[in-house]
Amino acid sequence: MATTQKRGDSYRITVSCGYDLTGKQIRRTTTWKPEPSMTARQIERELARQVVLFEEKCKTGQVLDGNVRFADFAERWFADYAEKQLRPTTVAGYRKMMPRINAAMGHIRLDRLQPHHLMSFYANLSEAGVRCVTRWKAGQGLKDWIHAQGMTQKRLAQLSGVSASKISSLMHDGALYEQNAYKIAEVIGQPLESLFEPVEPLGKLSGNTVQHYHRLLSTILSTAVKWQVIFANPCERVAPPKMQRKEAAYLDEAQAARLLQALEDAPEEYRVMVTLLLYTGLRRGELCGLAWSDIDFDTGLLTVARSSLYVQGKGIFEDETKNQTSRRVLKLPDSITAMLKTYHIHQRQRRLQMGDQWRECGRLFTTWNGQPIHPDTLTTWFSGFVKRNNLPYVTLHSLRHTNATLLIAAGVNVKTVSAHLGHSTIATTGNIYAHAIQSAEAAAAEALENKLLMSKRQQA
């Protein structure tokens, strides 16, 4: 129901929009000012029309004001902006951050959110014990129970509802997310902590992680300013912890050779995937999204046209590349082209063996029945592979850094490396691989000095 109140030469329209969780009535207001030339009759009719229009906007959620709680506005931001404009993986990452944010300031009205609220939140994130354990590895308690019960991996998978592949990974030094670890603990009837060990101990969040929270908050509140819900963004008056720039982890030439040597005994699909990552510098999603139609075996050209990603609740899905420059064409070495030809033949043979169980998707890397592979499958396998072969600690993404670092060390210019990696700007490449560029510059300077000194001696 709407009410109107004359205030000088304008009218204040108030609409009741129900009650909040505390039982307080929610009101939305707007002001309408008639034109000076309007008659009393015209003002009456137009005011009635403005009331109806404002009531309709309130009913359809088109009217917001500073009275709205941060948590409620954030949900509106996700629905009206993030989920329509941002990549699903980005939205999923933001969703994971919201519980901490809402616990600290979700109850605060937007127009009452002040810099000191943000500063207290960032300080809390930097305290010890804030980081939650999200992944668990098999502890001695679980191993002893399995041995005592004579439990097979297949049977444990059936009882717990956790996939056999994840159980197998767990027993080979892999890790499970908390929800799956809890499923196993419930079946066994023992506390999770007595069966598993945390992969990452409790601790404080890094300055980089706090920066991510700051950026998300600033983005949401900037939108609130644009939508005229609040006048200013309080994040602009707060300095979050500085970014802690870390050198990208990578393998040197000798370590990369050890990796390739160890891969010779690996299952074919994993060997091909890891080798291709090392030689091309592809992102994991780009690798999983490769289709056979992307490869020209005659010219040895590989087209990067899509990503295959996974988001909880959405499953495995196909998406565009990270940015426009990520759509690129790479020249494959002859040895890699030959490796892919052999692998293609083996996949066709497997498809014939599976018969009508095979579900053709056209991808290079699939599950046993031809469906797109889960990106985490390779990540989990690679983690165990590195440990089993006593290789330096690296992740799948480290192979991308290794590719770039070796290219720069070989004298390839930064612009070419940037295009090869699909970076949006050369500056991105320069920032990430500053160490490699500096080393290459030092080597070039030394080579020039040696060359000039040699020429000088020859002239003497």
Side-chain angles (χ1 to χ4, degrees), residues 229-257:
V229 179
I230 54 177
F231 291 105
N233 179 357
C235 285
E236 295 176 354
R237 303 193 297 277
V238 174
K242 293 182 179 180
M243 292 283 285
Q244 301 160 350
R245 191 164 297 281
K246 295 181 179 180
E247 185 175 317
Y250 64 94
L251 299 173
D252 60 26
E253 189 173 349
Q255 292 167 337

Side-chain angles (χ1 to χ4, degrees), residues 247-248 250-253 278-279 399-421 423 425-445:
E247 185 175 317
Y250 64 94
L251 299 173
D252 60 26
E253 189 173 349
L278 184 61
Y279 274 86
L399 301 181
R400 177 172 167 84
H401 297 318
T402 299
N403 176 270
T405 302
L406 294 180
L407 286 175
I408 293 171
V412 179
N413 66 72
V414 179
K415 183 176 180 180
T416 301
V417 174
S418 182
H420 174 80
L421 296 175
H423 282 161
T425 65
I426 298 178
T428 301
T429 312
N431 290 334
I432 297 175
Y433 301 107
H435 66 284
I437 295 171
Q438 291 169 0
S439 297
E441 288 290 342

Side-chain angles (χ1 to χ4, degrees), residues 38-56:
M38 296 179 71
T39 66
R41 178 62 176 165
Q42 288 174 330
I43 291 175
E44 182 182 354
R45 293 178 60 183
E46 182 60 23
L47 178 59
R49 193 176 78 86
Q50 291 294 331
V51 168
V52 172
L53 289 175
F54 188 62
E55 281 185 313
E56 186 62 27

Side-chain angles (χ1 to χ4, degrees), residues 59-130:
K59 289 179 181 178
T60 56
Q62 298 179 51
V63 177
L64 291 172
D65 60 32
N67 291 325
V68 67
R69 297 184 313 153
F70 176 85
D72 296 330
F73 180 80
E75 278 303 310
R76 174 58 56 84
W77 179 82
F78 273 104
D80 290 354
Y81 174 76
E83 292 177 359
K84 295 177 181 178
Q85 302 294 331
L86 304 180
R87 292 165 63 87
T89 47
T90 301
V91 176
Y94 285 165
R95 286 285 189 187
K96 289 181 180 179
M97 297 163 70
M98 288 309 299
R100 278 197 179 109
I101 293 175
N102 284 336
M105 61 189 72
H107 61 287
I108 301 174
R109 281 173 33 175
L110 277 187
D111 59 357
R112 294 181 180 175
L113 190 58
Q114 298 295 319
H116 70 84
H117 294 123
L118 301 171
M119 293 166 64
S120 295
F121 176 56
Y122 300 153
N124 176 254
L125 292 180
S126 301
E127 292 176 356
V130 170

